[in-house]
Amino acid sequence: MKHIDSLLHVRGASVFVDDLQLPDNCLFGAVAVSAMPHGRIISLDVSSARSVPGVRRIITAEDIPGENQIGNIILDEPLLAVNTVHYTGEPVALVLAESMDAARLAASLVETAIEELPPVFDPRTAFDLGMLIAPPRTFCAGNTDSAWGMCDLVVEGRADSGGQEHLYLECQASVALPMENGCVRICSSTQGPTFVQKVAARVLGIPMHRVEVDVGRLGGAFGGKEDQATPWAVMAALGTHLTGRPVKVVLDRKSDMAWTGKRHPYSSDFRLGLSAEGDMIAWEVTYYQNGGAASDLSTAILERTLFHCTNAYMIPNVRATGICCRTNLPPNTAFRGFGAPQAMFVMETAIHMAATRMGLEPSVIQERNLLRRGDRFPCGMEYEGDEIRRSWERAVRLSPERKDGEESCTGHISRGRYLMPVCFGISFTNTSLNQASALVHVYTDGSVGVSTGAVEMGQGVNTKIAQAAAMTLGIDVSLIKVETTNTTRAANTSPTAASTGADMNGNATRIACSEILGRLLAFAVNRLGAGPGVAVVMSGGEVLVDGRGTGLKWRELVEEAYLRRISLSAQAHYATPGIHFDTATEKGRPFAYHVAGTAVTDVSLDCLRGIWRVDSVTIVHDAGKSINPLVDRGQIEGGLLQGIGWMTMEELRYSDSGRLLTDSLATYKVPDIYSTPEEITIEFLPPRGDNAGIYNSKAVGEPPFMYGIGTYFALMEALQAFRPFERGHYTAPLSNERLLMLLEGLGTG
Ligand code: LUZ
Ligand code: MOS
């Protein structure tokens, strides 16, 4: 089955926030921001801005009726700056005007006099200055102190990975509409409708039930709209609240890139101890996370880094410390993988360094140490699967054969291969977020409407929810409509994040649908006069008794049930079972299950020019029993490409004043069709046994991102085949510039 939005998308008929029909009296909001990374606000002069024709109102912090606070986990972020600014791009005022052009012009004329304070952009510097967002956390297993003595080799080094722009196609967007009696309705491009509702209520100083948030679909998000759609939506709501008029706030691309947070850059120190045979014995790592100017989701992201500090490997002695550092960059935020890619990059760096030192192929070390069923992660959870080793073995067999005796470096073209195993935990690391709900209505003509907390952002969650409903009800999927995500139909929802959207909302949908079906079938038993002990099911839209057709069709049954005053609606709640975590001991079972897979990446590097291509990527991925292989394949391909971009070309550069220089696609290079691997082979690992996802499928959103890490190390392999070297410091992205420096034996990282 295709993605249910595919026809709309290719026809340009899908509706996004920017496409919504606006009432005639709509105002347009533009944001004035700080041009300094750190400083005291001396004065805010809005007189020139106010004189722009069409400007109706300029809102600053003083106008906020409720709390000027948009923080999530830690309350440390104002909606509009007061007294101090902490990053270039921090909102200081909201200008409302009759047109977007007038609003943007006026916003650029807001004059903020700032007395500059010294900025800090580097997390290690921030750490030295004691600028932490939260106390450091450490995950331990075994005892590293006593383990070093057992090691035949210890490698030490540093690994730095860069940030990443989300580059969702649709920029941040929201429209707020005034409703009767001081209520407000917000249409937002957010992954977290409840968070928008909660923060809007807090800022406006009204109860949550007066704020309705509605989400149709998003033009991509990737984590960038988990927390950071909120300020713009709340600004629109604030404008509406203060003027009584509809307000639209939409960012243009450059502002969106410059002002919003990114994937967290990390700088990490590590020490890996191994036996002479390549068994990993001890692993110590310290992650300096660049959190930016406010906490946002940084602490949760760092927690996931710690959970994934050993990736897919069994290491008996571990000490991993995460430090969440406050800097003067825009608050960094959720991004596909949520701290796990950063952890896995450090792990692979250490393995690569050890392999180089030992004169081994990295795969020799990797394979020896892959997790086996029953092994424990540092958090204490057991690895309950066998997919890591099975995917590894299958990927090795499936990958293109490398001809015996073929030199890996012929002339100036050097080839490199790297195997990248990935093991990713599914569930929000914050256990309480692992809940979802669904509201299902069957209408008297047999058509069905499903509302859940899941947000469609292109990933296909609505398709999977429609499938889950159809599978449960035993009717055709064309009868199912998935409604907008709305806080009046699905309350207290978790953001659609952590790859859990389809699992949790699909399960809530399944439960609600089976409740309705149960009522209908009980009625059918009566209606057909079927005796006790017979199996009555709905299948293909018809009631079957003991597997035989009865001629009683879905629509007829629904109509009759209605006349008998049987409820055709149900609401259901789903809470992921069996998960818990104790932050006092840093032990527990945080994840419902793990998703694993292996990618084999082959690259060719032109050692004169420093340019390269990915010849092939062969992926064996565990999607459980996929309910939609086409959607899952799309996620795997997209994740891979996004991961390759993060590792090899996407580089953020800032001016001395913390202004993003790479604020357009002319200066920020993302993968395009020319950087796509010549061949991508994706095979789904045949599932064994049951999975905790929806209908035995598994979550798919984030894990494939980390296959892209393989491209970095395949390039390293190709480099070393041309020019053998050892380095103690690896840096990503491995841009063409950096590659050329390495080829010349220059540069760091
Ligand atoms: N968001 C979140 C996430 O709030 N908690 C998580 O554990 C998570 N994991 C991945 C992506 N988003
Ligand atoms: Mo996320 S990184 O919004 O799953």
Side-chain angles (χ1 to χ4, degrees):
M1 182 193 174
K2 284 189 186 133
H3 192 297
I4 51 176
D5 285 344
S6 50
L7 270 182
L8 290 179
H9 285 343
V10 296
R11 288 172 177 159
S14 344
V15 173
F16 299 86
V17 169
D18 199 42
D19 304 315
L20 294 174
Q21 290 278 349
L22 299 174
D24 286 342
N25 62 340
C26 190
L27 288 171
F28 297 84
V31 186
V33 301
S34 168
M36 296 276 184
H38 192 199
R40 260 185 288 278
I41 301 175
I42 308 293
S43 66
L44 197 64
D45 181 359
V46 299
S47 51
S48 337
R50 190 163 282 145
S51 65
V52 172
V55 168
R56 289 289 166 265
R57 176 130 190 190
I58 298 176
I59 296 167
T60 61
E62 293 154 24
D63 302 309
I64 292 174
E67 282 173 67
N68 182 16
Q69 181 52 253
I70 61 168
N72 180 351
I73 300 171
I74 299 170
L75 301 184
D76 67 348
E77 191 176 0
L79 178 68
L80 296 169
V82 251
N83 303 328
T84 4
V85 289
H86 300 92
Y87 64 94
T88 301
E90 180 171 352
V92 294
L94 174 68
V95 177
L96 302 179
E98 299 291 345
S99 74
M100 193 57 95
D101 285 348
R104 286 187 178 153
L105 173 64
S108 71
L109 297 175
V110 170
E111 289 168 42
T112 316
I114 292 170
E115 178 196 330
E116 210 181 335
L117 295 168
V120 173
F121 301 119
D122 173 62
R124 290 175 187 259
T125 311
F127 173 71
D128 290 340
L129 294 170
M131 292 163 53
L132 301 188
I133 285 172
R137 284 173 68 178
T138 300
F139 280 26
C140 286
N143 183 340
T144 49
D145 289 336
S146 56
W148 299 117
M150 295 151 50
C151 302
D152 297 309
L153 172 75
V154 176
V155 291
E156 272 184 41
R158 173 172 160 174
D160 290 357
S161 60
Q164 187 176 23
E165 161 62 32
H166 300 86
L167 213 82
Y168 25 67
L169 281 175
E170 177 204 26
C171 292
Q172 303 285 355
S174 54
V175 175
L177 303 169
M179 307 301 283
E180 188 182 79
N181 199 15
C183 295
V184 61
R185 182 171 201 269
I186 307 170
C187 302
S188 164
S189 175
T190 179
Q191 291 172 250
T194 289
F195 186 53
V196 168
Q197 178 194 26
K198 180 175 166 179
V199 177
R202 189 200 289 159
V203 170
L204 269 46
I206 60 179
M208 283 171 75
H209 69 196
R210 290 186 168 251
V211 182
E212 172 186 353
V213 179
D214 190 78
V215 181
R217 65 162 64 73
L218 279 50
F222 308 112
K225 297 169 181 174
E226 185 173 336
D227 251 28
Q228 300 211 0
T230 305
W232 325 106
V234 173
M235 283 184 210
L238 180 61
T240 289
H241 191 72
L242 295 177
T243 63
R245 290 173 62 173
V247 173
K248 176 171 179 171
V249 176
V250 177
L251 298 192
D252 61 36
R253 178 65 66 189
K254 282 198 167 204
S255 307
D256 192 307
M257 288 180 82
W259 303 345
T260 64
K262 320 259 170 265
R263 179 184 297 285
H264 292 74
Y266 274 52
S267 182
S268 309
D269 295 322
F270 63 81
R271 199 137 81 109
L272 176 66
L274 307 94
S275 72
E277 297 73 38
D279 293 324
M280 295 197 275
I281 297 169
W283 175 231
E284 277 188 2
V285 56
T286 303
Y287 307 102
Y288 297 90
Q289 181 199 46
N290 191 333
S295 60
D296 193 277
L297 290 162
S298 297
T299 52
I301 290 158
L302 191 64
E303 184 173 58
R304 188 174 279 280
T305 301
L306 293 172
F307 281 120
H308 292 85
C309 67
T310 52
N311 186 15
Y313 308 108
M314 176 58 208
I315 311 182
N317 304 288
V318 175
R319 186 177 174 84
T321 299
I323 307 173
C324 187
C325 307
R326 197 184 292 276
T327 61
N328 298 105
L329 290 176
N332 286 318
T333 193
F335 196 143
R336 202 175 199 169
F338 208 74
Q342 291 93 324
M344 293 183 193
F345 176 67
V346 185
M347 185 76 255
E348 294 305 318
T349 295
I351 290 172
H352 194 259
M353 205 177 268
T356 305
R357 188 76 53 82
M358 298 168 88
L360 291 175
E361 298 251 0
S363 60
V364 173
I365 298 179
Q366 290 171 308
E367 187 171 7
R368 291 186 77 88
N369 295 280
L370 291 174
L371 283 158
R372 291 189 162 80
R373 191 195 302 277
D375 284 344
R376 281 186 195 279
F377 294 94
C379 72
M381 180 167 175
E382 239 179 65
Y383 178 59
E384 294 157 358
D386 62 358
E387 292 87 1
I388 298 176
R389 283 178 174 269
R390 279 204 293 136
S391 71
W392 173 280
E393 283 155 20
R394 180 63 192 150
V396 168
R397 222 164 305 132
L398 196 63
S399 57
E401 216 171 294
R402 291 200 291 183
K403 291 184 211 86
D404 274 345
E406 187 193 55
E407 284 297 323
S408 55
C409 188
T410 44
H412 64 288
I413 302 296
S414 186
R415 272 172 275 276
R417 162 171 289 192
Y418 200 76
L419 277 75
M420 182 66 205
V422 170
C423 178
F424 189 86
I426 301 300
S427 290
F428 286 89
T429 59
N430 175 348
T431 302
S432 65
L433 291 175
N434 294 290
Q435 52 177 319
S437 66
L439 175 64
V440 178
H441 296 314
V442 177
Y443 297 97
T444 50
D445 66 353
S447 64
V448 180
V450 180
S451 296
T452 74
V455 168
E456 174 65 39
M457 53 191 109
Q459 86 280 42
V461 71
N462 282 359
T463 306
K464 290 187 174 179
I465 286 172
Q467 288 181 281
M471 286 161 82
T472 310
L473 293 171
I475 59 177
D476 194 80
V477 73
S478 63
L479 287 169
I480 316 290
K481 175 177 179 239
V482 182
E483 308 286 357
T484 64
T485 315
N486 187 295
T487 53
T488 67
R489 278 180 268 111
N492 311 321
T493 59
S494 297
T496 301
S499 307
T500 63
D503 276 12
M504 296 204 307
N505 295 281
N507 270 307
T509 301
R510 175 183 56 76
I511 296 166
C513 288
S514 37
E515 196 176 315
I516 297 171
L517 184 66
R519 292 179 211 140
L520 288 172
L521 291 180
F523 170 64
V525 168
N526 237 321
R527 152 85 161 60
L528 294 167
V534 292
V536 182
V537 298
M538 181 71 65
S539 176
E542 184 182 353
V543 177
L544 307 186
V545 173
D546 282 339
R548 282 185 307 275
T550 60
L552 178 55
K553 296 286 165 56
W554 165 258
R555 180 174 175 158
E556 202 183 331
L557 180 63
V558 164
E559 269 184 319
E560 288 189 27
Y562 166 75
L563 293 174
R564 297 296 187 87
R565 300 189 296 173
I566 290 167
S567 166
L568 299 176
S569 297
Q571 196 269 355
H573 179 259
Y574 177 78
T576 309
I579 51 174
H580 53 89
F581 191 71
D582 178 359
T583 52
T585 56
E586 306 286 26
K587 297 284 174 201
R589 184 180 187 275
F591 300 121
Y593 58 89
H594 286 84
V595 166
T598 300
V600 183
T601 306
D602 285 298
V603 300
S604 297
L605 172 67
D606 177 331
C607 297
L608 287 179
R609 298 172 183 83
I611 57 177
W612 50 273
R613 69 162 197 227
V614 180
D615 300 319
S616 71
V617 180
T618 308
I619 293 171
V620 176
H621 182 86
D622 164 32
K625 188 176 178 311
S626 173
I627 63 172
N628 196 316
L630 207 52
V631 162
D632 288 356
R633 186 171 295 268
Q635 286 297 304
I636 296 167
E637 291 177 355
L640 168 70
L641 262 286
Q642 205 168 30
I644 292 176
W646 174 55
M647 280 280 104
T648 64
M649 57 189 89
E650 298 184 39
E651 185 157 28
L652 298 159
R653 293 283 183 91
Y654 297 87
S655 73
D656 291 343
S657 66
R659 186 171 60 81
L660 183 69
L661 299 172
T662 48
D663 65 352
S664 77
L665 288 175
T667 47
Y668 186 75
K669 176 72 183 140
V670 293
D672 57 20
I673 192 67
Y674 301 105
S675 30
T676 302
E678 301 284 312
E679 256 180 73
I680 301 179
T681 306
I682 295 168
E683 192 178 279
F684 291 104
L685 191 69
R688 288 186 188 157
D690 292 344
N691 297 305
I694 170 74
Y695 283 115
N696 263 324
S697 68
K698 281 190 171 184
V700 74
E702 296 175 285
F705 179 89
M706 284 148 275
Y707 295 139
I709 298 170
T711 299
Y712 180 101
F713 290 97
L715 284 167
M716 276 293 177
E717 287 290 284
L719 257 167
Q720 284 180 332
F722 177 75
R723 168 196 273 277
F725 63 81
E726 279 186 36
R727 307 192 71 84
H729 182 181
Y730 286 42
T731 305
L734 193 50
S735 58
N736 290 96
E737 195 177 340
R738 211 166 257 135
L739 260 173
L740 262 182
M741 300 278 270
L742 287 169
L743 283 164
E744 299 290 336
L746 303 166
T748 58

